[in-house]
Amino acid sequence: MSDYPPPVLWFGRPVLFAGLESLYRVDYRSHLLVHGQLPALGAEELAELAENVDLRGRGGAGFPFARKIRAVVKSAARRRTTPVVVVNGTEGEPSCLKDTTLILRAPHLVVDGALIAAAALGAERVAIGVTRADTEESLRQALAERRSVKPPVEVVRLPERFVTGEGSSLARGITNGIALPRGGGVRTSDSGVGGAPTLLSNAETYAQLAVAARWGALPYREIGLPDEPGTVLLTIAGSTVVETPTGVPLETVLAACELDIGQGVLVGGYHGKWLTPDAARSAVISRQSFQRLGGALGAGAILPLPETTCPLWEVVRISRWMADETAGQCGPCYLGLPDLTSALEDLVRGGGQRALDRVQAGMRAVTGRGACSHPDAAARFVASSLAVFDDDLVAHSYQGGCGRPSQDVLPLPEVESAGSIVVDWTLCEAHGLCTGVLPDVIRLGPDGFPAAAVMPVPARLLSQAARAVDRCPALALRMQ
């Protein structure tokens, strides 16, 4: 298992996290004691249940699960073929840990949800896609604890990339190992794994389905808001997973994690939007509340931004990461997102109206032109950032900056170093030219000198690091 299990919290009665009050991981015997046996439901019964509790996909888009079930049933009947059930357990965004936590600590709810859906649809194949070694191990252990599982459940390990979790990408990865978005507007409910109609949703959705099937619609609806019943799993600040009923104030959830709203809150993760401090103070945990205030619940990632960091440099970091995560098969994404990030960096460095025009042109160039939603979402994130942090943008444009360093608050994956840049303090004259070439690696301290003597360089930035070394007029830098 992972050496870093994120801490979990819950408000009120835990539902998905039931049993974790006293156990680290709920094994199959404990799972049955806590939740009881799984009932059998037909396809329309399952769809009606999902509709009555307004169960929506918890992976980002929030698509009604009942409509997915009925679409798969209709497609399978029309094509006279057997559908497939797929659980998305990939969770490729670094600000999200909720599905990973669920699979590590309560895996049987996820398996239950997939099995009840498979039985209802008459599916003969169930697949759970993962990208981590610890989630793969947890699921294989859970299946071994059950001894016999019908239909068989396969656990498929795929590359750990952001785009792996996109629906068509996951279906292709399970089919042939090539986890790339398909494009073309074909829904997985019509043609997914192996070309078969595929019911696909994320781990939390299936776990919620398993609970609702046991409880029934009316008891399930007793928790949370009337129009959005039940609980929600959230990842707070990329480090703590919280289960909360809908309707709890966002500020209350943050306070339980010893955090405050700060300069604003990014909701929905890196494909989401920012809430201003005033909006965040009035928000409650619900899809509709976030949408009304200009945000999105998405995959449940909640990221408050402290007052101490520069918001725009944080945005540049995330924009660069999203550009690096492109699948590389669509020009507007593969070329457009790096261009957008370059323009954004120019804007934050004080590029003024010319740079702003480039950013706006860059957002238009990538929107609506990719094989998946990644470029649209990246552009939406940048647009939301510029709107919410407009005062900081003015400061960067006309006053040389906001006066705050980038503290790398927003979580990104740790990148393995391919080398280091070393500073010779006896030669350094604080020209600062190096950081213009390599801002991700070389940060300047308040005195204008590099903040560290040795700075690790990831492999993807080696060529930029060489340029930074060459650019130093005092010859104070060298690669190691």
Side-chain angles (χ1 to χ4, degrees):
M1 294 295 174
S2 171
D3 292 331
Y4 177 61
V8 296
L9 302 173
W10 49 83
F11 286 83
R13 173 189 177 185
V15 176
L16 302 186
F17 285 165
L20 297 185
E21 303 97 325
S22 57
L23 299 169
Y24 171 74
R25 179 184 181 276
V26 182
D27 63 14
Y28 189 47
R29 179 178 177 277
S30 301
H31 168 76
L32 292 176
L33 290 173
V34 171
H35 295 285
Q37 292 288 342
L38 192 66
L41 298 176
E44 185 55 29
E45 287 180 295
L46 197 66
E48 288 179 357
L49 172 67
E51 192 170 58
N52 287 339
V53 301
D54 192 31
L55 180 60
R56 293 171 179 259
R58 305 298 179 91
F63 194 82
F65 197 65
R67 286 171 60 185
K68 284 190 177 184
I69 295 171
R70 290 181 174 128
V72 170
V73 169
K74 183 177 179 180
S75 180
R78 184 182 70 251
R79 296 174 54 190
R80 297 181 181 179
T81 188
T82 304
V84 177
V85 171
V86 169
V87 180
N88 188 346
T90 61
E91 203 167 45
E93 183 172 321
S95 64
C96 292
L97 289 171
K98 67 181 183 71
D99 286 348
T100 296
T101 301
L102 192 60
I103 291 172
L104 289 176
R105 304 192 63 178
H108 290 283
L109 274 180
V110 178
V111 175
D112 275 355
L115 289 177
I116 196 171
L121 296 173
E124 297 176 355
R125 184 179 184 187
V126 176
I128 306 178
V130 297
T131 58
R132 296 167 52 121
D134 53 0
T135 50
E136 179 185 19
E137 180 188 343
S138 180
L139 287 167
R140 293 194 186 283
Q141 182 179 340
L143 294 172
E145 289 167 358
R146 291 176 176 241
R147 298 186 182 180
S148 175
V149 179
K150 293 183 180 179
V153 177
E154 58 183 306
V155 182
V156 182
R157 179 88 175 272
L158 296 166
E160 193 165 358
R161 298 185 62 209
F162 191 39
V163 295
T164 296
E166 192 271 340
S168 67
S169 180
L170 179 62
R172 288 180 72 184
I174 291 171
T175 301
N176 58 24
I178 303 172
L180 292 173
R182 178 173 53 189
V186 178
R187 295 186 182 276
T188 54
S189 57
D190 289 324
S191 178
V193 172
T198 300
L199 182 67
L200 188 155
S201 198
N202 80 314
E204 184 191 346
T205 310
Y206 282 103
Q208 295 281 4
L209 182 69
V211 170
R214 287 180 166 95
W215 289 13
L218 291 179
Y220 187 94
R221 295 186 67 89
E222 290 176 0
I223 297 176
L225 296 169
D227 52 353
E228 291 185 47
T231 65
V232 177
L233 293 186
L234 306 172
T235 310
I236 308 299
S239 60
T240 303
V241 177
V242 175
E243 182 177 15
T244 176
T246 54
V248 174
L250 172 59
E251 198 166 16
T252 301
V253 174
L254 293 177
C257 300
E258 300 182 353
L259 297 167
D260 55 34
I261 286 167
Q263 299 180 71
V265 182
L266 180 60
V267 293
Y270 301 151
H271 275 184
K273 297 181 180 180
W274 290 94
L275 296 181
T276 66
D278 286 343
R281 290 187 190 97
S282 64
V284 300
I285 303 301
S286 96
R287 186 181 64 260
Q288 293 182 21
S289 174
F290 283 9
Q291 288 176 347
R292 186 174 63 251
L293 293 166
L297 180 60
I302 308 291
L303 296 153
L305 195 69
E307 298 283 358
T308 52
T309 192
C310 171
L312 294 180
W313 279 120
E314 295 282 351
V315 170
V316 169
R317 289 177 59 242
I318 303 309
S319 179
R320 186 178 295 114
W321 177 78
M322 287 197 284
D324 289 342
E325 286 296 308
T326 173
Q329 58 182 2
C330 303
C333 186
Y334 178 62
L335 300 175
L337 290 186
D339 286 348
L340 173 58
T341 301
S342 176
L344 179 64
E345 186 173 340
D346 187 20
L347 178 62
V348 175
R349 290 189 182 282
Q353 188 62 47
R354 176 189 59 82
L356 180 58
D357 291 344
R358 280 184 60 210
V359 170
Q360 292 173 338
M363 289 189 290
R364 289 193 299 270
V366 302
T367 301
R369 300 178 63 197
C372 68
S373 63
H374 180 54
D376 299 65
R380 185 170 60 239
F381 166 77
V382 171
S384 172
S385 303
L386 297 183
V388 170
F389 301 116
D390 55 341
D391 288 344
D392 295 89
L393 183 58
V394 170
H396 278 260
S397 297
Y398 300 107
Q399 300 166 21
C402 64
R404 288 166 290 191
S406 175
Q407 297 180 324
D408 297 355
V409 171
L410 297 180
L412 287 178
E414 291 185 12
V415 180
E416 207 171 300
S417 173
S420 299
I421 282 186
V422 179
V423 182
D424 184 338
W425 296 114
T426 64
L427 297 176
C428 184
E429 297 174 355
H431 293 99
L433 298 177
C434 54
T435 191
V437 179
L438 200 59
D440 273 359
V441 173
I442 303 176
R443 305 293 171 81
L444 300 183
D447 57 1
F449 287 85
V454 179
M455 292 157 282
V457 178
R460 66 181 177 84
L461 295 179
L462 283 176
S463 61
Q464 284 178 248
R467 291 202 305 273
V469 170
D470 291 341
R471 190 167 182 179
C472 178
L475 305 177
L477 301 178
R478 63 181 173 85
M479 285 295 297
Q480 177 176 284

